[in-house]
Amino acid sequence: MIKLELKDVSLDYADGDAVFRALDRVSFAVARGEFVSLIGSSGCGKSTTLNILAGLKPPSSGQLLIDGLKSVGTGKNRGVVFQHYSLFPWLTARQNITLGLRQLGGQSSRELSAIAGRYLDRVGLTGFEDKYPYQLSGGMQQRVAIARVLALRPEILLMDEPFGAVDAKNKIILQDLLLELLDGDEDRKTVIFVTHDVNEAILLSDRVLFMRNKRIEEDIAIDLPRPRKREDIYNTKAFGIYYKKIMVKFYQAVKENIGDDVVL
Amino acid sequence: MKALKNAAGAAHIKWKALIFKALPHLMFIALLLLISSPSLVELKVRGAFAAVAVMIELALLCNWRSRSAHDLVMMVFAFLIVWEVVTTKIPNPNKMLFPPPENVFAIYYTDWKKIISGIFSSLFLLAYGAGLAFVSGIVLGLTVGWHERLRQALFPVAKVISPIPPIIYTPYAVALLPSFKIASIFVIFSSIFWYLFLNMIISVATIDKKLLDSARSLNISPWGLMRHILFPYCLPGIFKTLPISMANAFMVLTAAEMIGATSGLGWFVKYYSDFSDFTRVVAGIVLIGLVVSVIGALLARLDKLVIRWR
Protein backbone atom coordinates (compact mmCIF):
# COMPACT_ATOMS: atom_id res chain seq x y z
CA MET A 1 0.00 0.00 0.00
CA ILE A 2 1.41 3.36 -0.98
CA LYS A 3 1.74 5.78 1.94
CA LEU A 4 3.17 8.77 0.19
CA GLU A 5 4.05 9.69 -3.32
CA LEU A 6 5.79 12.52 -5.14
CA LYS A 7 4.46 12.99 -8.65
CA ASP A 8 6.66 14.88 -11.07
CA VAL A 9 7.68 17.43 -8.46
CA SER A 10 9.92 20.37 -9.39
CA LEU A 11 10.99 23.37 -7.39
CA ASP A 12 12.29 26.60 -8.89
CA TYR A 13 13.45 29.61 -7.00
CA ALA A 14 14.18 33.07 -8.27
CA ASP A 15 17.30 34.97 -7.35
CA GLY A 16 16.83 38.41 -8.85
CA ASP A 17 16.11 37.82 -12.53
CA ALA A 18 17.68 34.38 -12.67
CA VAL A 19 15.62 31.27 -11.99
CA PHE A 20 17.29 28.26 -10.46
CA ARG A 21 15.99 24.73 -10.35
CA ALA A 22 16.32 23.16 -6.93
CA LEU A 23 14.47 19.97 -7.82
CA ASP A 24 13.87 18.52 -11.28
CA ARG A 25 10.79 16.34 -11.90
CA VAL A 26 11.22 13.98 -8.99
CA SER A 27 8.79 11.07 -8.71
CA PHE A 28 8.79 8.20 -6.28
CA ALA A 29 6.38 6.30 -4.09
CA VAL A 30 6.95 4.94 -0.60
CA ALA A 31 4.98 2.00 0.78
CA ARG A 32 3.51 2.06 4.25
CA GLY A 33 6.11 0.99 6.83
CA GLU A 34 8.96 1.36 4.39
CA PHE A 35 12.29 3.01 5.28
CA VAL A 36 13.66 4.99 2.35
CA SER A 37 16.95 6.87 2.36
CA LEU A 38 17.78 9.77 0.08
CA ILE A 39 21.51 9.80 -0.52
CA GLY A 40 23.75 12.02 -2.61
CA SER A 41 26.32 14.77 -2.35
CA SER A 42 25.58 18.27 -1.07
CA GLY A 43 23.29 20.27 -3.31
CA CYS A 44 21.83 17.22 -5.06
CA GLY A 45 18.30 18.09 -3.92
CA LYS A 46 17.82 15.58 -1.10
CA SER A 47 17.09 18.11 1.64
CA THR A 48 14.83 20.04 -0.71
CA THR A 49 12.88 16.84 -1.35
CA LEU A 50 12.50 16.33 2.39
CA ASN A 51 11.32 19.91 2.91
CA ILE A 52 8.66 19.39 0.26
CA LEU A 53 7.58 16.13 1.88
CA ALA A 54 7.35 17.97 5.23
CA GLY A 55 5.21 20.68 3.65
CA LEU A 56 7.75 23.36 4.60
CA LYS A 57 8.21 24.31 0.94
CA PRO A 58 5.46 24.22 -1.67
CA PRO A 59 6.58 22.61 -4.95
CA SER A 60 6.56 24.79 -8.10
CA SER A 61 4.91 21.99 -10.03
CA GLY A 62 3.83 18.43 -9.37
CA GLN A 63 2.05 16.95 -6.40
CA LEU A 64 2.64 15.43 -3.01
CA LEU A 65 0.12 12.67 -2.25
CA ILE A 66 -0.32 11.19 1.21
CA ASP A 67 -2.65 8.20 1.46
CA GLY A 68 -3.66 9.04 -2.10
CA LEU A 69 -4.77 12.58 -1.24
CA LYS A 70 -3.11 15.79 -2.29
CA SER A 71 -1.27 17.35 0.66
CA VAL A 72 -0.50 21.04 1.13
CA GLY A 73 1.47 22.48 4.04
CA THR A 74 2.64 20.76 7.20
CA GLY A 75 0.49 18.13 8.87
CA LYS A 76 0.05 16.12 12.02
CA ASN A 77 0.63 12.90 10.06
CA ARG A 78 4.31 13.89 9.57
CA GLY A 79 7.06 14.54 12.08
CA VAL A 80 10.46 16.02 11.25
CA VAL A 81 13.94 15.72 12.80
CA PHE A 82 16.56 18.16 11.52
CA GLN A 83 20.33 18.12 11.76
CA HIS A 84 20.53 21.41 13.66
CA TYR A 85 18.27 23.61 15.72
CA SER A 86 15.59 20.99 16.08
CA LEU A 87 15.24 21.96 19.73
CA PHE A 88 14.27 25.34 21.10
CA PRO A 89 17.11 26.56 23.33
CA TRP A 90 14.77 28.27 25.79
CA LEU A 91 12.83 25.10 26.60
CA THR A 92 14.02 22.13 28.68
CA ALA A 93 14.10 18.66 27.14
CA ARG A 94 10.66 17.95 28.59
CA GLN A 95 9.20 21.31 27.55
CA ASN A 96 10.49 20.83 24.01
CA ILE A 97 8.43 17.64 23.83
CA THR A 98 5.31 19.00 25.49
CA LEU A 99 5.29 22.05 23.19
CA GLY A 100 4.82 19.71 20.24
CA LEU A 101 2.28 17.56 22.06
CA ARG A 102 0.24 20.56 23.15
CA GLN A 103 -0.51 21.39 19.51
CA LEU A 104 -2.40 18.09 19.25
CA GLY A 105 -4.69 19.19 22.09
CA GLY A 106 -6.98 17.22 24.37
CA GLN A 107 -4.67 16.46 27.26
CA SER A 108 -3.84 18.20 30.52
CA SER A 109 -0.34 19.53 30.97
CA ARG A 110 0.33 16.91 33.65
CA GLU A 111 -0.51 14.12 31.23
CA LEU A 112 1.65 15.74 28.55
CA SER A 113 4.53 16.01 30.97
CA ALA A 114 4.18 12.32 31.85
CA ILE A 115 4.15 11.34 28.16
CA ALA A 116 7.27 13.45 27.57
CA GLY A 117 8.98 11.69 30.48
CA ARG A 118 8.13 8.26 29.03
CA TYR A 119 9.56 9.09 25.62
CA LEU A 120 12.72 10.59 27.13
CA ASP A 121 13.00 7.34 29.02
CA ARG A 122 12.75 5.38 25.79
CA VAL A 123 15.66 7.26 24.24
CA GLY A 124 17.74 6.74 27.40
CA LEU A 125 17.55 10.26 28.80
CA THR A 126 16.06 9.52 32.21
CA GLY A 127 17.25 12.19 34.62
CA PHE A 128 17.82 14.79 31.90
CA GLU A 129 14.18 15.90 31.63
CA ASP A 130 14.77 19.37 33.03
CA LYS A 131 18.03 20.18 31.30
CA TYR A 132 18.24 22.90 28.68
CA PRO A 133 19.67 22.00 25.25
CA TYR A 134 22.96 23.83 25.98
CA GLN A 135 23.46 21.49 28.94
CA LEU A 136 23.21 18.42 26.66
CA SER A 137 25.75 17.03 24.19
CA GLY A 138 24.95 17.07 20.46
CA GLY A 139 24.03 13.38 20.55
CA MET A 140 21.73 13.89 23.53
CA GLN A 141 20.05 16.81 21.81
CA GLN A 142 19.26 14.60 18.84
CA ARG A 143 17.83 11.98 21.21
CA VAL A 144 15.48 14.63 22.57
CA ALA A 145 14.54 15.57 19.00
CA ILE A 146 13.78 11.90 18.26
CA ALA A 147 11.78 11.55 21.48
CA ARG A 148 9.83 14.68 20.54
CA VAL A 149 8.93 13.44 17.10
CA LEU A 150 8.03 9.94 18.35
CA ALA A 151 5.84 11.38 21.11
CA LEU A 152 3.73 13.04 18.41
CA ARG A 153 3.07 9.55 16.99
CA PRO A 154 3.21 10.62 13.34
CA GLU A 155 2.55 8.05 10.61
CA ILE A 156 5.49 9.36 8.61
CA LEU A 157 8.89 10.22 10.02
CA LEU A 158 11.05 12.65 8.03
CA MET A 159 14.69 12.89 9.06
CA ASP A 160 17.12 15.37 7.53
CA GLU A 161 20.68 14.18 8.28
CA PRO A 162 19.73 13.71 11.92
CA PHE A 163 23.10 12.20 12.84
CA GLY A 164 25.18 14.35 10.48
CA ALA A 165 26.68 16.52 13.22
CA VAL A 166 27.28 13.74 15.76
CA ASP A 167 30.66 12.04 16.41
CA ALA A 168 31.28 8.49 15.15
CA LYS A 169 30.66 6.73 18.44
CA ASN A 170 27.42 8.55 19.18
CA LYS A 171 26.34 8.00 15.60
CA ILE A 172 26.53 4.23 16.15
CA ILE A 173 24.56 4.53 19.39
CA LEU A 174 21.89 6.68 17.75
CA GLN A 175 21.56 4.48 14.66
CA ASP A 176 21.13 1.40 16.84
CA LEU A 177 18.59 3.27 18.96
CA LEU A 178 16.61 4.24 15.86
CA LEU A 179 16.67 0.66 14.53
CA GLU A 180 15.50 -0.63 17.89
CA LEU A 181 12.72 1.94 18.22
CA LEU A 182 11.42 1.34 14.69
CA ASP A 183 11.69 -2.46 14.80
CA GLY A 184 10.01 -2.51 18.22
CA ASP A 185 6.94 -0.76 16.84
CA GLU A 186 4.21 -3.18 15.68
CA ASP A 187 2.73 -0.49 13.48
CA ARG A 188 5.94 0.31 11.58
CA LYS A 189 6.41 3.95 10.75
CA THR A 190 7.09 5.09 7.23
CA VAL A 191 10.47 6.84 7.25
CA ILE A 192 12.23 9.10 4.76
CA PHE A 193 15.83 9.60 5.82
CA VAL A 194 18.25 12.04 4.24
CA THR A 195 21.93 11.19 4.64
CA HIS A 196 25.28 11.22 2.90
CA ASP A 197 26.59 8.32 4.92
CA VAL A 198 26.50 5.12 2.83
CA ASN A 199 26.86 2.72 5.78
CA GLU A 200 24.01 4.41 7.56
CA ALA A 201 21.76 4.29 4.51
CA ILE A 202 22.28 0.54 3.98
CA LEU A 203 22.00 -0.34 7.66
CA LEU A 204 18.68 1.45 8.13
CA SER A 205 16.87 1.35 4.79
CA ASP A 206 14.66 -0.86 2.73
CA ARG A 207 15.43 1.30 -0.28
CA VAL A 208 18.09 3.85 -1.11
CA LEU A 209 17.35 6.57 -3.65
CA PHE A 210 20.54 7.97 -5.10
CA MET A 211 20.13 11.61 -6.05
CA ARG A 212 22.31 13.66 -8.30
CA ASN A 213 21.91 17.03 -9.90
CA LYS A 214 18.37 17.65 -8.52
CA ARG A 215 17.08 14.29 -9.75
CA ILE A 216 16.71 10.74 -8.59
CA GLU A 217 19.23 8.73 -10.52
CA GLU A 218 18.85 5.27 -9.12
CA ASP A 219 16.51 3.33 -6.89
CA ILE A 220 18.38 0.61 -5.00
CA ALA A 221 16.42 -1.94 -2.97
CA ILE A 222 18.24 -3.11 0.17
CA ASP A 223 17.10 -6.66 0.63
CA LEU A 224 18.30 -7.43 4.15
CA PRO A 225 16.16 -9.15 6.79
CA ARG A 226 14.51 -7.32 9.72
CA PRO A 227 14.80 -6.92 12.66
CA ARG A 228 18.35 -5.83 11.90
CA LYS A 229 21.43 -5.92 14.03
CA ARG A 230 24.56 -4.04 13.06
CA GLU A 231 26.91 -7.00 13.66
CA ASP A 232 24.83 -9.32 11.47
CA ILE A 233 24.38 -6.81 8.67
CA TYR A 234 28.04 -5.82 8.49
CA ASN A 235 29.10 -9.44 8.08
CA THR A 236 26.81 -10.25 5.16
CA LYS A 237 28.15 -10.38 1.63
CA ALA A 238 25.14 -8.37 0.48
CA PHE A 239 26.22 -5.40 2.61
CA GLY A 240 29.52 -5.19 0.74
CA ILE A 241 27.77 -5.41 -2.61
CA TYR A 242 25.33 -2.61 -1.75
CA TYR A 243 28.14 -0.51 -0.38
CA LYS A 244 30.15 -0.89 -3.55
CA LYS A 245 27.15 -0.20 -5.73
CA ILE A 246 26.41 3.12 -4.02
CA MET A 247 30.06 4.16 -3.79
CA VAL A 248 30.41 3.57 -7.51
CA LYS A 249 27.57 6.02 -8.07
CA PHE A 250 29.40 8.62 -5.98
CA TYR A 251 32.63 7.88 -7.84
CA GLN A 252 30.94 8.34 -11.20
CA ALA A 253 29.51 11.63 -9.99
CA VAL A 254 32.98 12.79 -8.97
CA LYS A 255 34.51 11.75 -12.29
CA GLU A 256 31.87 13.44 -14.39
CA ASN A 257 31.97 16.61 -12.34
CA ILE A 258 35.74 16.77 -12.81
CA GLY A 259 35.07 16.56 -16.53
CA ASP A 260 32.76 19.56 -16.20
CA ASP A 261 35.30 21.55 -14.25
CA VAL A 262 38.00 21.05 -16.87
CA VAL A 263 35.90 23.04 -19.33
CA LEU A 264 36.40 26.08 -17.09
CA MET B 1 70.54 29.58 50.55
CA LYS B 2 68.24 29.88 47.58
CA ALA B 3 65.38 28.40 49.57
CA LEU B 4 65.95 30.96 52.26
CA LYS B 5 65.86 33.76 49.71
CA ASN B 6 62.63 32.40 48.29
CA ALA B 7 61.12 32.18 51.74
CA ALA B 8 62.14 35.75 52.42
CA GLY B 9 60.60 36.80 49.08
CA ALA B 10 57.37 34.97 49.90
CA ALA B 11 57.23 36.63 53.29
CA HIS B 12 57.73 39.98 51.62
CA ILE B 13 54.87 39.35 49.20
CA LYS B 14 52.71 38.21 52.09
CA TRP B 15 53.40 41.45 53.97
CA LYS B 16 52.51 43.52 50.95
CA ALA B 17 49.27 41.60 50.41
CA LEU B 18 48.36 42.00 54.07
CA ILE B 19 48.87 45.76 54.07
CA PHE B 20 46.89 46.01 50.86
CA LYS B 21 44.08 43.98 52.41
CA ALA B 22 44.04 46.13 55.54
CA LEU B 23 44.10 49.43 53.67
CA PRO B 24 40.36 50.06 53.26
CA HIS B 25 39.82 49.21 56.93
CA LEU B 26 42.55 51.65 57.97
CA MET B 27 40.91 54.25 55.73
CA PHE B 28 37.61 53.56 57.45
CA ILE B 29 39.16 54.23 60.87
CA ALA B 30 40.85 57.38 59.55
CA LEU B 31 37.51 58.59 58.20
CA LEU B 32 35.79 58.01 61.56
CA LEU B 33 38.59 59.93 63.32
CA LEU B 34 38.20 62.78 60.85
CA ILE B 35 34.46 62.90 61.40
CA SER B 36 34.84 63.06 65.19
CA SER B 37 37.65 65.64 65.13
CA PRO B 38 36.88 69.38 65.26
CA SER B 39 35.70 71.04 62.10
CA LEU B 40 36.29 74.55 60.71
CA VAL B 41 32.67 74.85 59.54
CA GLU B 42 29.55 74.40 61.55
CA LEU B 43 28.12 70.86 61.31
CA LYS B 44 24.56 70.03 62.33
CA VAL B 45 24.55 66.23 62.50
CA ARG B 46 27.64 64.06 62.16
CA GLY B 47 25.93 60.74 62.82
CA ALA B 48 24.40 60.32 59.35
CA PHE B 49 27.75 60.53 57.58
CA ALA B 50 29.35 58.20 60.13
CA ALA B 51 26.46 55.77 59.61
CA VAL B 52 27.08 55.78 55.84
CA ALA B 53 30.78 55.03 56.42
CA VAL B 54 29.86 52.18 58.78
CA MET B 55 27.42 50.76 56.24
CA ILE B 56 30.08 50.77 53.52
CA GLU B 57 32.53 49.07 55.89
CA LEU B 58 29.95 46.43 56.80
CA ALA B 59 29.22 45.79 53.13
CA LEU B 60 32.94 45.22 52.58
CA LEU B 61 33.14 42.86 55.56
CA CYS B 62 30.26 40.86 54.10
CA ASN B 63 32.16 40.55 50.77
CA TRP B 64 35.65 40.31 52.23
CA ARG B 65 36.81 37.71 49.73
CA SER B 66 35.97 39.86 46.72
CA ARG B 67 38.94 41.77 45.37
CA SER B 68 36.84 44.13 43.30
CA ALA B 69 34.68 45.04 46.34
CA HIS B 70 37.93 45.72 48.20
CA ASP B 71 39.20 48.04 45.44
CA LEU B 72 35.85 49.77 45.07
CA VAL B 73 35.50 50.49 48.78
CA MET B 74 39.05 51.80 48.85
CA MET B 75 38.15 54.27 46.12
CA VAL B 76 34.93 55.35 47.83
CA PHE B 77 36.71 55.91 51.17
CA ALA B 78 39.47 57.86 49.44
CA PHE B 79 36.84 60.11 47.87
CA LEU B 80 35.00 60.61 51.17
CA ILE B 81 38.25 61.42 53.02
CA VAL B 82 39.21 64.01 50.42
CA TRP B 83 35.72 65.50 50.52
CA GLU B 84 35.80 65.63 54.33
CA VAL B 85 39.27 67.18 54.52
CA VAL B 86 38.70 69.77 51.79
CA THR B 87 35.37 71.00 53.18
CA THR B 88 35.91 70.84 56.95
CA LYS B 89 39.59 70.60 57.86
CA ILE B 90 41.12 73.29 55.67
CA PRO B 91 39.55 76.71 55.15
CA ASN B 92 36.57 76.14 52.86
CA PRO B 93 36.60 78.75 50.05
CA ASN B 94 32.82 78.65 49.59
CA LYS B 95 30.70 76.95 52.19
CA MET B 96 27.58 77.13 50.02
CA LEU B 97 29.11 75.59 46.89
CA PHE B 98 31.17 72.96 48.73
CA PRO B 99 28.90 71.51 51.41
CA PRO B 100 30.62 69.20 53.91
CA PRO B 101 29.61 65.51 53.68
CA GLU B 102 28.18 65.58 57.22
CA ASN B 103 25.57 68.15 56.17
CA VAL B 104 24.80 66.43 52.86
CA PHE B 105 24.14 63.04 54.44
CA ALA B 106 22.23 64.68 57.28
CA ILE B 107 19.64 65.73 54.69
CA TYR B 108 18.55 62.09 54.33
CA TYR B 109 17.82 62.18 58.05
CA THR B 110 16.12 65.58 58.30
CA ASP B 111 14.22 65.46 54.98
CA TRP B 112 13.42 61.76 54.89
CA LYS B 113 9.67 62.26 54.38
CA LYS B 114 10.15 64.45 51.35
CA ILE B 115 12.80 62.10 50.00
CA ILE B 116 10.73 58.94 50.37
CA SER B 117 7.71 60.56 48.74
CA GLY B 118 10.01 61.88 45.99
CA ILE B 119 11.39 58.41 45.27
CA PHE B 120 7.91 56.92 45.19
CA SER B 121 6.48 59.62 42.96
CA SER B 122 9.38 59.20 40.51
CA LEU B 123 9.25 55.42 40.56
CA PHE B 124 5.49 55.42 40.09
CA LEU B 125 5.78 57.46 36.89
CA LEU B 126 8.71 55.35 35.75
CA ALA B 127 6.86 52.08 36.35
CA TYR B 128 3.79 53.37 34.56
CA GLY B 129 5.58 54.69 31.48
CA ALA B 130 8.05 51.82 31.25
CA GLY B 131 5.32 49.21 31.79
CA LEU B 132 3.21 50.67 28.99
CA ALA B 133 6.24 50.90 26.72
CA PHE B 134 7.34 47.32 27.33
CA VAL B 135 3.93 45.73 26.88
CA SER B 136 3.09 47.67 23.73
CA GLY B 137 6.64 47.55 22.36
CA ILE B 138 6.82 43.78 22.70
CA VAL B 139 3.32 43.04 21.39
CA LEU B 140 3.53 45.47 18.49
CA GLY B 141 7.16 44.58 17.77
CA LEU B 142 6.32 40.88 17.50
CA THR B 143 3.27 41.52 15.31
CA VAL B 144 4.88 44.04 13.01
CA GLY B 145 8.15 42.09 12.81
CA TRP B 146 6.31 38.95 11.82
CA HIS B 147 3.86 40.49 9.34
CA GLU B 148 5.86 41.35 6.27
CA ARG B 149 3.60 44.07 4.87
CA LEU B 150 3.21 45.83 8.22
CA ARG B 151 6.94 45.59 8.71
CA GLN B 152 7.75 47.22 5.40
CA ALA B 153 5.27 50.01 6.13
CA LEU B 154 6.24 50.74 9.73
CA PHE B 155 9.94 49.94 9.89
CA PRO B 156 10.97 53.22 8.20
CA VAL B 157 8.69 55.16 10.55
CA ALA B 158 10.29 53.56 13.61
CA LYS B 159 13.72 54.14 12.13
CA VAL B 160 13.07 57.89 11.79
CA ILE B 161 11.40 58.39 15.17
CA SER B 162 13.58 56.21 17.39
CA PRO B 163 16.80 58.27 17.13
CA ILE B 164 15.09 61.51 18.22
CA PRO B 165 16.19 61.96 21.84
CA PRO B 166 12.96 62.25 23.88
CA ILE B 167 14.59 64.82 26.15
CA ILE B 168 14.30 67.26 23.25
CA TYR B 169 10.50 67.22 23.21
CA THR B 170 10.09 66.88 26.97
CA PRO B 171 9.42 70.64 27.54
CA TYR B 172 6.90 70.63 24.70
CA ALA B 173 5.15 67.53 26.05
CA VAL B 174 4.91 69.12 29.50
CA ALA B 175 3.39 72.25 27.99
CA LEU B 176 1.08 70.40 25.59
CA LEU B 177 -0.39 67.60 27.68
CA PRO B 178 -3.12 68.35 30.24
CA SER B 179 -1.27 67.18 33.37
CA PHE B 180 2.32 66.68 34.40
CA LYS B 181 1.67 63.02 35.14
CA ILE B 182 0.44 62.30 31.63
CA ALA B 183 3.29 64.30 30.12
CA SER B 184 6.00 62.46 32.04
CA ILE B 185 4.42 59.07 31.38
CA PHE B 186 4.34 59.99 27.71
CA VAL B 187 8.01 60.99 27.54
CA ILE B 188 9.12 57.93 29.52
CA PHE B 189 7.01 55.79 27.21
CA SER B 190 8.56 57.27 24.09
CA SER B 191 12.09 57.07 25.49
CA ILE B 192 11.70 53.27 25.72
CA PHE B 193 9.06 52.35 23.16
CA TRP B 194 10.66 53.30 19.82
CA TYR B 195 14.01 51.81 20.54
CA LEU B 196 12.44 48.58 21.81
CA PHE B 197 9.95 48.43 18.94
CA LEU B 198 12.72 48.84 16.38
CA ASN B 199 14.86 46.18 18.01
CA MET B 200 11.97 43.72 18.22
CA ILE B 201 11.17 44.18 14.53
CA ILE B 202 14.78 43.53 13.59
CA SER B 203 15.21 40.46 15.76
CA VAL B 204 11.90 38.88 14.72
CA ALA B 205 12.69 39.50 11.05
CA THR B 206 16.14 37.95 11.35
CA ILE B 207 15.17 34.83 13.35
CA ASP B 208 16.99 31.68 12.24
CA LYS B 209 14.89 30.00 9.56
CA LYS B 210 15.78 26.58 10.91
CA LEU B 211 14.08 27.38 14.20
CA LEU B 212 10.98 28.46 12.31
CA ASP B 213 11.00 25.26 10.24
CA SER B 214 11.27 23.26 13.42
CA ALA B 215 8.29 25.15 14.88
CA ARG B 216 6.23 24.81 11.71
CA SER B 217 6.88 21.08 11.53
CA LEU B 218 5.24 20.86 14.97
CA ASN B 219 2.10 22.46 13.46
CA ILE B 220 2.32 25.27 15.97
CA SER B 221 -0.53 27.81 16.00
CA PRO B 222 0.12 31.49 15.15
CA TRP B 223 -0.44 32.40 18.81
CA GLY B 224 1.86 29.59 19.94
CA LEU B 225 4.50 30.82 17.52
CA MET B 226 4.38 34.29 19.10
CA ARG B 227 4.22 33.07 22.67
CA HIS B 228 6.58 30.10 22.61
CA ILE B 229 9.01 30.82 19.78
CA LEU B 230 9.31 34.48 18.78
CA PHE B 231 8.90 36.00 22.24
CA PRO B 232 11.49 33.83 24.04
CA TYR B 233 13.79 34.20 21.03
CA CYS B 234 13.70 38.01 21.49
CA LEU B 235 13.82 38.01 25.28
CA PRO B 236 17.63 38.02 25.77
CA GLY B 237 17.85 40.99 23.39
CA ILE B 238 15.20 42.85 25.38
CA PHE B 239 17.14 42.29 28.58
CA LYS B 240 20.33 43.45 26.91
CA THR B 241 18.82 46.85 26.06
CA LEU B 242 16.91 47.12 29.34
CA PRO B 243 19.57 48.87 31.48
CA ILE B 244 20.19 51.51 28.78
CA SER B 245 16.46 51.97 28.26
CA MET B 246 15.81 52.42 31.96
CA ALA B 247 18.69 54.88 32.37
CA ASN B 248 17.33 56.88 29.41
CA ALA B 249 13.86 56.82 30.87
CA PHE B 250 15.14 58.03 34.21
CA MET B 251 17.04 60.84 32.55
CA VAL B 252 13.93 61.98 30.69
CA LEU B 253 11.81 61.69 33.83
CA THR B 254 14.11 63.79 36.00
CA ALA B 255 14.30 66.35 33.20
CA ALA B 256 10.49 66.49 33.05
CA GLU B 257 10.30 66.82 36.83
CA MET B 258 12.67 69.76 36.73
CA ILE B 259 10.23 71.53 34.41
CA GLY B 260 6.77 70.73 35.64
CA ALA B 261 6.56 68.65 38.81
CA THR B 262 5.80 69.42 42.44
CA SER B 263 7.44 66.26 43.80
CA GLY B 264 9.97 63.68 42.71
CA LEU B 265 13.75 63.42 42.65
CA GLY B 266 14.31 65.74 39.70
CA TRP B 267 12.03 68.31 41.28
CA PHE B 268 13.95 68.05 44.59
CA VAL B 269 17.26 68.94 42.92
CA LYS B 270 15.78 71.73 40.79
CA TYR B 271 13.73 73.25 43.62
CA TYR B 272 16.70 73.60 45.98
CA SER B 273 19.07 74.85 43.30
CA ASP B 274 16.64 77.73 42.88
CA PHE B 275 17.31 78.57 46.55
CA SER B 276 21.05 77.91 46.12
CA ASP B 277 20.70 75.22 48.80
CA PHE B 278 23.50 73.11 47.34
CA THR B 279 23.67 70.83 50.34
CA ARG B 280 20.27 69.49 49.34
CA VAL B 281 21.19 69.57 45.65
CA VAL B 282 24.23 67.35 46.22
CA ALA B 283 22.15 65.06 48.45
CA GLY B 284 19.58 64.78 45.65
CA ILE B 285 22.21 64.04 43.00
CA VAL B 286 23.80 61.31 45.14
CA LEU B 287 20.36 59.84 45.77
CA ILE B 288 19.47 59.75 42.06
CA GLY B 289 22.73 57.93 41.41
CA LEU B 290 21.85 55.38 44.08
CA VAL B 291 18.30 54.84 42.82
CA VAL B 292 19.47 54.31 39.21
CA SER B 293 22.16 51.87 40.40
CA VAL B 294 19.69 49.90 42.48
CA ILE B 295 17.28 49.66 39.54
CA GLY B 296 20.15 48.51 37.30
CA ALA B 297 21.24 45.86 39.81
CA LEU B 298 17.68 44.56 40.17
CA LEU B 299 17.32 44.31 36.38
CA ALA B 300 20.57 42.34 36.15
CA ARG B 301 19.21 39.97 38.83
CA LEU B 302 15.97 39.62 36.89
CA ASP B 303 17.91 38.87 33.70
CA LYS B 304 19.73 35.99 35.38
CA LEU B 305 16.49 34.73 36.86
CA VAL B 306 14.52 34.77 33.60
CA ILE B 307 17.11 33.78 30.97
CA ARG B 308 18.20 30.41 32.25
CA TRP B 309 18.99 28.81 28.92
CA ARG B 310 22.41 30.33 28.25
Side-chain angles (χ1 to χ4, degrees), chain B residues 174-197:
Chain B
V174 172
L176 183 73
L177 291 165
S179 79
F180 168 73
K181 261 188 192 160
I182 295 174
S184 52
I185 288 170
F186 169 76
V187 291
I188 291 167
F189 171 86
S190 19
S191 76
I192 297 176
F193 175 80
W194 290 105
Y195 187 58
L196 177 68
F197 181 57

Side-chain angles (χ1 to χ4, degrees), chain B residues 6 26 34 87 100 113 152 157 197 220 232:
Chain B
N6 275 350
L26 294 174
L34 282 171
T87 52
K113 267 189 189 156
Q152 279 166 359
V157 178
F197 181 57
I220 204 159

Side-chain angles (χ1 to χ4, degrees), chain B residues 65-93:
Chain B
R65 276 173 202 281
S66 159
R67 211 164 124 168
S68 54
H70 182 270
D71 293 349
L72 180 68
V73 166
M74 217 151 55
M75 249 154 47
V76 172
F77 277 149
F79 172 74
L80 292 179
I81 287 172
V82 170
W83 185 4
E84 169 74 7
V85 169
V86 167
T87 52
T88 68
K89 302 299 181 248
I90 56 176
N92 189 333

Side-chain angles (χ1 to χ4, degrees), chain A residues 56 74-75 86 89-90 134 148, chain B residues 214 216 219 228-229 232 309-310:
Chain A
L56 293 170
T74 59
S86 279
W90 47 86
Y134 84 94
R148 179 170 74 182
Chain B
S214 185
R216 283 171 61 207
N219 297 297
H228 296 293
I229 313 298
W309 60 83
R310 280 182 295 221

Side-chain angles (χ1 to χ4, degrees), chain A residues 183-245:
Chain A
D183 286 343
D185 201 348
E186 304 134 41
D187 188 21
R188 261 196 94 81
K189 288 194 192 318
T190 309
V191 187
I192 316 292
F193 192 95
V194 168
T195 182
H196 48 235
D197 181 330
V198 180
N199 279 316
E200 184 172 75
I202 301 169
L203 176 69
L204 299 173
S205 320
D206 300 309
R207 253 165 79 206
V208 174
L209 301 179
F210 185 87
M211 290 190 76
R212 202 188 137 196
N213 206 10
K214 330 293 181 197
R215 286 180 196 196
I216 291 179
E217 213 175 62
E218 194 152 340
D219 186 337
I220 304 155
I222 306 293
D223 201 7
L224 294 167
R226 283 193 193 273
R228 289 184 187 170
K229 280 239 177 302
R230 179 182 300 274
E231 309 85 280
D232 306 340
I233 299 285
Y234 277 0
N235 289 328
T236 57
K237 211 173 158 189
F239 182 87
I241 295 168
Y242 291 132
Y243 186 82
K244 199 171 165 192
K245 196 169 177 182

